[in-house]
Amino acid sequence: MASLVVAGDTSGSVTLSAPAIAGSVTITLPSSSGTMAVTGGSPSFATLTVTGDATINGQTVGRGNGSVSSNTAFGASALANTTGGDNTALGAFALNANTSGNVNTAVGRSALRNNTTGADNTAIGYQALTRNTTGSFNLAVGEDTLAFNTTASFNTAVGFQALYANTTGQYNTSIGYQAGKANTTGSVTAVGGFALALNTTGTRNVAVGGNDGAGTDAALYTNTTGSYNTAVGVGALKVSNSYRDWE
């Protein structure tokens, strides 16, 4: 038999019933091109078993492209994975380019989108760690945190655009709105809104003290390339760009 069509009229229904006592209804489709579509009305299932990833209203639900049993994918184009395991991707394009990276968690649209082999990363927020490729052991919480990080590892960024421009700088900790935003290759510790916001390549700097306004009073706010500075308190070394200074 080539095909079987079961159809109702415009106001009817089609029902496939399992035996009342025990049993199930199984629909097997051709493995090469078969699909099943449930449309119209309000279909309901007591139990629905799908052996591959499902697409529900444009959202991928399942394990991702590699079908690795320890992976979880939810979102359009989430987790285009091949061999990596223990990954969780929630959001459109989350972990989209991942190949063999393991133990990554991406929550938010485009979080860890370009990650390929980087491992043990956690990205929560829109475009958090979105350009990361091979960097590992990074934590990014907040929109655009560590957005330009590519290969750097061991960074922690919490707050809107914290460590936003960091590319290869490692062992950075930035907590606060735009803390360490301009840092690219330096290794810094910035705590407070706008702290070390303009630092680019300065390294071994510590700034503790934020600012509620434009940020000009944040600790080490204007420092760009100065290194080995420590500033504690609002306005501390806010105009410094020197070497081995403290306040």
Side-chain angles (χ1 to χ4, degrees), residues 45-210:
F45 304 91
T47 301
L48 176 64
T49 301
V50 181
T51 57
D53 283 6
T55 300
I56 301 175
N57 198 22
Q59 303 297 311
T60 298
V61 180
R63 298 174 176 175
N65 285 351
S67 195
V68 178
S69 61
S70 59
N71 290 329
T72 299
F74 186 99
S77 300
L79 197 56
N81 186 74
T82 53
T83 60
D86 299 297
N87 295 298
T88 299
L90 303 177
F93 303 105
L95 277 167
N96 175 255
N98 194 72
T99 54
S100 58
N102 296 303
V103 200
N104 293 296
T105 299
V107 180
R109 181 182 176 87
S110 295
L112 278 166
R113 178 172 184 167
N114 292 290
N115 192 79
T116 54
T117 61
D120 295 279
N121 294 297
T122 298
I124 302 174
Y126 174 75
Q127 292 191 156
L129 275 167
T130 187
R131 292 172 179 80
N132 191 77
T133 54
T134 61
S136 299
F137 301 101
N138 294 298
L139 170 64
V141 180
E143 180 180 337
D144 286 331
T145 49
L146 279 164
F148 281 84
N149 194 83
T150 54
T151 60
S153 300
F154 309 107
N155 293 300
T156 298
V158 180
F160 175 76
Q161 292 186 340
L163 284 171
Y164 172 78
N166 191 77
T167 53
T168 58
Q170 302 198 122
Y171 300 100
N172 292 291
T173 299
S174 288
I175 301 174
Y177 181 91
Q178 294 187 345
K181 177 185 177 180
N183 190 76
T184 55
T185 60
S187 179
V188 301
T189 298
V191 180
F194 300 104
L196 272 167
L198 301 183
N199 191 85
T200 54
T201 58
T203 191
R204 302 297 190 270
N205 292 305
V206 177
V208 181

Side-chain angles (χ1 to χ4, degrees), residues 215-223 231 234-241 247:
T216 54
D217 284 333
L220 274 169
Y221 175 72
T222 61
N223 188 80
V234 174
L237 288 172
K238 67 177 182 178
V239 294
S240 175
N241 197 24
E247 184 174 20

